[in-house]
Amino acid sequence: MAQPWWQEAVFYQIYPRSFADANGDGVGDLAGIRGRLEYLAWLGVDAVWISPFFPSPMRDFGYDVADYCDVDPVFGTLEDFDALVADAHRLGIRVMIDWVPAHTSSDHPWFLEARASRDNPRRDWYVWRDPAPGGGPPNNWIAAFINGPAWTLDEATGQYWLHSFLPQQPDLNWANPEVVAAMHDVLRFWLDRGVDGFRADVVHNIGKDPVLADAEGPGSRFPHVGMNDRPETHEHLRGIRALLDAYPGERTMVGEVYLLNTRLVGPYCGTPAAPELHMAFNFPPLFEQWASEPWRERIDVTREVFDPIPAWPTWVLGNHDVKRQRTRYGSEARARAAACLLLGLRGTPFLYMGEELGLEDAVVPEDRVVDPGGRDGCRAPIPWTEKAPHGWGAEHWLPFAADAGHRSVAVEREDPGSFLNLYRRLLAARRASTALRSGSFEWLPAPAGVLAWRREADGERRIVVVAFEGNEEPFAGDAFAGYRVSIASDGVGEGEALAARIGADRAFWLEPE
Ligand code: NOJ
């Protein structure tokens, strides 16, 4: 039986400020994305997720939304968006957009009204509390980015508002049914425009403890959003799923569940009888070091959690919030092997734009730092052409990563051994193989330092071998007999049997001879 599209797809995240700039103002835009859809089709991804492009004061670069149903002029217009979706669909690429349900911008008209007075009809759309008995914030919750209280006092009305992130990102109060209805309307607005689904920003943060009790324990000094795991959220997610399921075409939601514990993440997919998210980002592997045993454990825990539900896992090595994998892992060889790992696992992979070029984080001089969370390095513009300014205007909002010419799309496209062509070959091989897209997963015996597994569907078999540390001991048994290497992370040994000794930081895809 065919799997749902989102289980067989490879997603590609576009951070629109930095992808492609059609109007030359130094900030990427929707027309820029549209102009590069051919590239994405050539690369072989099935769906894009576009980070927020809605009107915003950009204090968190679009994750502070001032109007959910429009396009910020810096990115273009609703017509540009419609044209982008139409072209993407013509090329067979689905389009997911970023829905930011847990907070708005403090510039959103809803918040301006809520703040106007205690008895404003929209007051309760946000979370307000009186000061603690002795004065000060109502509880001990910490906000992300500012490392201080998750509460800011509104002097005029004498109450604090809750913000899990910046003070300019007040948390919405999902306990109020009017908020639920308004945010459902936002989903319908975009579904009616033809989007294939949503990436839901910090969606585990929509349900709140009605008592807003102090955080306790060792994690209590960390941003509270990393601990907010509430039954109310699951109820909301079931409602959202019902809304999506009422549309044709399997509109899909992948939720950011930033709980950093796979066992806590799995339940956000609900159950077959009471489904919630289609997919939930499982971030612990993203933060894992490059080492075989920790990775074996990450894979095992993910299978243990998701298989019995049953739910479909995601695999992510990068996004706009973390250092690029090429930078984290520290070498090109590792980053190439990581691509073979990511695309060889059972579950839906999400690529972050530029990962396919092997881009490193840009080194951003202090006077050009703009992000309150210090994430500028991974958000550097994509270099399209070899010569500076690489397909951008002379002025661009962030500097390029080192080596941008050599890492540009134009240069890498022409080089069969490039990072880009490795990704393209992996994507093509995955698309052509049911075993790789949706087949079973079974560990194969491999010497210490190497992980190996087999994927199988309808009698078709593929093997993935990742040599994190490389092997000293020989391979035992004959699990690899009759297979040859179809893709090697460094291109060495393709068409041959797997070597008996494999050096560190290499990976292979094998198929039957
Ligand atoms: C998670 C997003 O990925 C991040 O970029 C943003 O700053 C926070 N959510 C707040 O919306």
Side-chain angles (χ1 to χ4, degrees), residues 60 63 103 145 165 199 201-202 256 320-321 375 379:
D60 189 16
Y63 285 96
H103 47 262
F145 304 146
F165 294 89
R199 177 266 190 183
D201 187 63
V202 287
E256 186 195 23
H320 63 295
D321 291 330
R375 299 160 292 183
R379 299 175 176 181

Side-chain angles (χ1 to χ4, degrees), residues 65-78:
V65 179
D67 178 353
Y68 287 98
C69 299
D70 207 346
V71 174
D72 193 283
V74 81
F75 297 120
T77 63
L78 279 172

Side-chain angles (χ1 to χ4, degrees), residues 393-435:
E395 304 283 318
H396 29 270
W397 79 291
L398 283 175
F400 287 97
D403 227 6
H406 172 232
R407 292 281 178 209
S408 65
V409 172
V411 169
E412 289 206 33
R413 245 180 120 139
E414 296 308 316
D415 170 7
S418 68
F419 221 104
L420 176 58
N421 275 308
L422 171 65
Y423 264 87
R424 183 164 184 257
R425 292 176 65 208
L426 292 168
L427 289 166
R430 187 181 163 105
R431 191 175 267 179
S433 160
T434 310

Side-chain angles (χ1 to χ4, degrees), residues 346-391:
R346 176 180 157 83
T348 296
F350 284 75
L351 312 181
Y352 175 52
M353 60 171 210
E355 174 180 326
E356 79 278 19
L357 301 169
L359 285 186
E360 293 187 65
D361 271 31
V363 177
V364 181
E366 223 164 285
D367 62 339
R368 293 200 64 184
V369 168
V370 286
D371 177 49
R375 299 160 292 183
D376 298 309
C378 66
R379 299 175 176 181
I382 297 296
W384 291 100
T385 58
E386 180 171 12
K387 275 221 187 101
H390 310 299

Side-chain angles (χ1 to χ4, degrees), residues 146-186:
I146 60 173
N147 219 359
W151 298 92
T152 293
L153 180 64
D154 178 50
E155 305 268 350
T157 60
Q159 288 189 311
Y160 283 84
W161 75 82
L162 176 65
H163 51 87
S164 296
F165 294 89
L166 295 174
Q168 298 89 350
Q169 290 171 296
D171 282 26
L172 279 164
N173 177 21
W174 275 71
N176 180 340
E178 290 173 11
V179 169
V180 176
M183 291 308 289
H184 281 196
D185 282 347
V186 172

